[in-house]
Amino acid sequence: RKEVEQDPGPFNVPEGATVAFNCTYSNSASQSFFWYRQDCRKEPKLLMSVYSSGNEDGRFTAQLNRASQYISLLIRDSKLSDSATYLCVVTSSGSARQLTFGSGTQLTVLP
Amino acid sequence: DAGVIQSPRHEVTEMGQEVTLRCKPISGHDYLFWYRQTMMRGLELLIYFNNNVPIDDSGMPEDRFSAKMPNASFSTLKIQPSEPRDSAVYFCASIMSGLNTGELFFGEGSRLTVL
């Protein structure tokens, strides 16, 4: 079983739709959680951290469920520019040097 | 400010040839990582350095792969001899210790094709 698992998609949604991605992790000792975004043929970039109480950044909401060991990302009012691959990232020690990346979920927002 | 700089951006080579990928981390960052990304396996950590010292190379696929960091501003990843299955995008990333934000700064990657 992979340490971090994501539905690869692709998710094709119309502009303005709400879309949610889930990610599961296998190591119950995992401490920190993040979502990265990777545009086609570009490098990954940090989108947002995921806090235990859940957190929001504009149209993006991240949730953490430690009991079930999953993380979610909700995108509201999706824009064409949201089209990208979203990578779920987990650390085992709370340190960036122990980051484990999921394989990513591909999102295409259609006009 | 300059980000992580990688070269070459693209390389096409023939099986058996030596490949050297280069990376300049962000100034002041004391951790440097080499990742490989393929469609099949996603983003895999190959090796990382702290203060120029290799800390964990358990992700290096085999002896054909080697990495060095002779100083704080330069690292290389070498594949000798290269094989078609090494075709991938190789990313270098850096971070400053003490910043536990989870934000790794990636270079634009080196896209390697081995024929």
Side-chain angles (χ1 to χ4, degrees):
Chain A
R1 182 183 173 189
K2 287 185 179 179
E3 195 169 337
V4 179
E5 295 205 58
Q6 296 182 248
D7 180 345
F11 284 65
N12 297 318
V13 302
E15 209 172 353
T18 295
V19 61
F21 309 135
N22 287 333
C23 163
T24 58
Y25 59 95
S26 60
N27 186 351
S28 59
S30 297
Q31 296 188 15
S32 301
F33 310 89
F34 310 92
W35 285 100
Y36 273 66
R37 170 190 168 132
Q38 186 173 21
D39 292 316
C40 186
R41 302 181 76 85
K42 297 287 190 180
E43 72 273 23
K45 293 183 179 178
L46 179 66
L47 175 66
M48 60 193 300
S49 302
V50 186
Y51 302 123
S52 296
S53 55
N55 50 296
E56 194 173 298
D57 183 1
R59 297 180 294 108
F60 298 81
T61 300
Q63 297 274 358
L64 167 63
N65 185 319
R66 284 191 184 273
S68 301
Q69 294 182 208
Y70 80 79
I71 309 147
S72 66
L73 177 68
L74 182 78
I75 305 175
R76 291 182 301 277
D77 187 24
S78 54
K79 311 292 184 189
L80 297 177
S81 57
D82 295 333
S83 297
T85 296
Y86 291 84
L87 302 164
C88 173
V89 184
V90 171
T91 71
S92 57
S93 68
S95 168
R97 59 187 176 272
Q98 303 288 348
L99 290 173
T100 300
F101 285 77
S103 296
T105 299
Q106 185 180 341
L107 170 67
T108 300
V109 180
L110 304 168
Chain B
D1 287 342
V4 175
I5 299 172
Q6 290 186 246
S7 65
R9 291 292 310 282
H10 302 273
E11 175 138 357
V12 180
T13 190
E14 292 187 344
M15 182 173 64
Q17 296 298 306
E18 178 179 296
V19 173
T20 299
L21 307 178
R22 298 173 177 80
C23 175
K24 176 179 168 53
I26 294 173
S27 177
H29 284 194
D30 53 347
Y31 280 88
L32 181 141
F33 304 78
W34 281 101
Y35 284 87
R36 176 173 70 175
Q37 187 174 40
T38 61
M39 289 291 292
M40 291 296 294
R41 302 172 69 93
L43 201 59
E44 302 173 283
L45 177 63
L46 300 177
I47 185 172
Y48 75 90
F49 295 82
N50 177 218
N51 290 323
N52 315 338
V53 176
I55 302 301
D56 184 352
D57 66 353
S58 59
M60 296 285 262
E62 48 196 273
D63 292 346
R64 298 184 297 105
F65 286 68
S66 63
K68 294 182 179 180
M69 191 165 185
N71 58 62
S73 59
F74 184 65
S75 177
T76 59
L77 178 68
K78 187 172 293 188
I79 308 172
Q80 167 63 16
S82 57
E83 296 182 4
R85 59 192 168 123
D86 301 331
S87 298
V89 181
Y90 291 81
F91 287 105
C92 176
S94 70
I95 195 167
M96 183 186 298
S97 62
L99 294 181
N100 193 21
T101 63
E103 185 165 15
L104 273 183
F105 293 84
F106 285 84
E108 292 182 304
S110 293
R111 185 173 296 273
L112 173 65
T113 302
V114 183
L115 303 174

